[in-house]
Amino acid sequence: MSEMVTICEVGPRDGLQMAKSIMATEAKCAWIAGLAAAGVREIEVGSFVPARLIPQMADTGAVVRFARTLPGLTVVALAPNLRGAEAAVDAGAHRVSVPVSVSAGHSRANLNRTPDEQVAVVGAIVDWMRAHAPQVELEVACSTAFGCSIDGVVPEDEVVRIAAALAAAGVSQIGLADTVGYANPAQIRSVVRAVRAEIGPALVGLHLHDTMGLGIANALAGLEEGIRDFDSALAGLGGCPFAPGASGNIVTEDLVFMLESMGFVTGIDLDGLIAARALLHAGLPGEAMHGQVARAGIPRTFQRAA
């Protein structure tokens, strides 16, 4: 059998937080249902953050509750602190994702805390979830792990240190995020190897952006290093409001095309993703949509992995 690669669609969270307009809750739910119908089995549907900071996420509780009704879907919600994690669990999220910036500048801009202070916050979330929600998964993303638009170069040793501190705090699912899209394939390989040498199988995934046009190349480098979990966004939506210059995530459609063409199984139907683009466009008609597969069309040579 072909090897499975898991894709978590982050468009409804990472993508919409940078949208110029607010997508109606009904349209957002229809889009998420379309993604699930295409075979996407993990979707980060929103974040529990103050609506005054990111008004696009004000309806996350309602969206989580809707997404829970979709059969076979793992519903993920981002939470920057314990209060957010409690709200995510209360709404019914299957998994809570918590960001920890490696660079001090981004950590201050995004969370108003130092990286080490945010690691301590994660420790408190671990303790609370063990006591009150052991059935809910917890994952932590090491943001700006490959560079920062505020601080510039992020030392590899610092990425390893933060990842090790998170593992010591009890986190068993840790990802590396190229938040601003500055990484290159050689750097992906080097950082993945260094972090894995320190924390082993606790390193599970990559979250990549395409600012410099290297997103898919970086995904391939991660794949060759054994990563089997990737975040991506339909139509390449996304960015970070607290990271100047950051552009969209890698395109889900293009990532699925690459993986399936190489013989990896994603369980996702490309035609279904193209149909979901129409739902996205209907809900956000003014937003730019990206992707080579959608532009060129699915080639006649394409065969899904079995």
Side-chain angles (χ1 to χ4, degrees):
M1 293 179 64
S2 298
E3 192 171 359
M4 184 77 183
V5 174
T6 300
I7 294 176
C8 181
E9 168 64 42
V10 299
R13 195 277 303 173
D14 196 341
L16 296 187
Q17 72 179 5
M18 290 294 288
K20 299 178 184 66
S21 58
I22 295 176
M23 194 176 196
T25 303
E26 295 77 11
K28 196 181 295 187
C29 291
W31 176 32
I32 290 169
L35 290 165
V40 179
R41 286 292 165 260
E42 293 186 8
I43 303 178
E44 191 174 72
V45 302
S47 58
F48 287 91
V49 294
R52 60 182 173 81
L53 297 178
I54 306 181
Q56 294 91 336
M57 298 291 106
D59 60 353
T60 294
V63 175
V64 168
R65 287 187 286 273
F66 166 78
R68 282 278 310 206
T69 68
L70 300 174
L73 180 66
T74 296
V75 180
V76 186
L78 182 141
N81 50 38
L82 179 56
R83 179 180 296 179
E86 291 172 346
V89 169
D90 183 62
H94 297 111
R95 182 186 305 148
V96 178
S97 178
V98 181
V100 175
S101 299
V102 178
S103 63
H106 185 263
S107 189
R108 282 292 186 192
N110 190 34
L111 301 166
N112 197 29
R113 285 186 284 273
T114 68
D116 289 306
E117 287 170 344
Q118 182 65 0
V119 170
V121 168
V122 169
I125 294 172
V126 169
D127 292 342
W128 183 85
M129 290 184 66
R130 284 175 175 171
H132 301 282
Q135 78 284 1
V136 179
E137 297 179 15
L138 175 68
E139 66 177 4
V140 176
C142 294
S143 304
T144 61
F146 301 94
C148 176
S149 57
I150 298 172
D151 291 353
V153 173
V154 175
E156 187 174 286
D157 289 349
E158 186 65 5
V159 182
V160 173
R161 186 185 74 82
I162 293 296
L166 291 168
V171 182
S172 60
Q173 297 184 48
I174 298 171
L176 301 175
D178 185 18
T179 308
V180 295
Y182 288 177
N184 62 71
Q187 186 185 16
I188 293 286
R189 292 188 183 97
S190 180
V191 175
V192 166
R193 289 174 186 175
V195 172
R196 182 179 286 130
E198 184 69 26
I199 67 172
L203 174 61
V204 295
L206 286 174
H207 176 104
L208 303 170
H209 285 247
D210 201 36
T211 307
M212 308 307 296
L214 293 176
I216 288 292
N218 290 335
L220 178 59
L223 191 73
E224 291 172 343
E225 290 300 320
I227 298 296
R228 295 295 181 267
D229 290 86
F230 294 90
D231 291 349
S232 62
L234 195 80
L237 295 183
C240 177
F242 307 105
S247 64
N249 293 267
I250 55 174
V251 179
T252 301
E253 306 93 294
D254 295 354
L255 179 61
V256 169
F257 174 76
M258 181 185 78
L259 292 169
E260 294 275 345
S261 296
M262 293 174 66
F264 292 94
V265 172
T266 65
I268 300 174
D269 178 62
L270 268 179
D271 288 307
L273 288 180
I274 300 301
R277 285 174 66 100
L279 295 168
L280 169 59
H281 180 68
L284 282 179
E287 204 68 28
M289 298 174 67
H290 308 282
Q292 295 304 116
V293 170
R295 182 178 294 112
I298 302 171
R300 294 178 64 183
T301 56
F302 176 71
Q303 294 182 336
R304 289 188 65 183

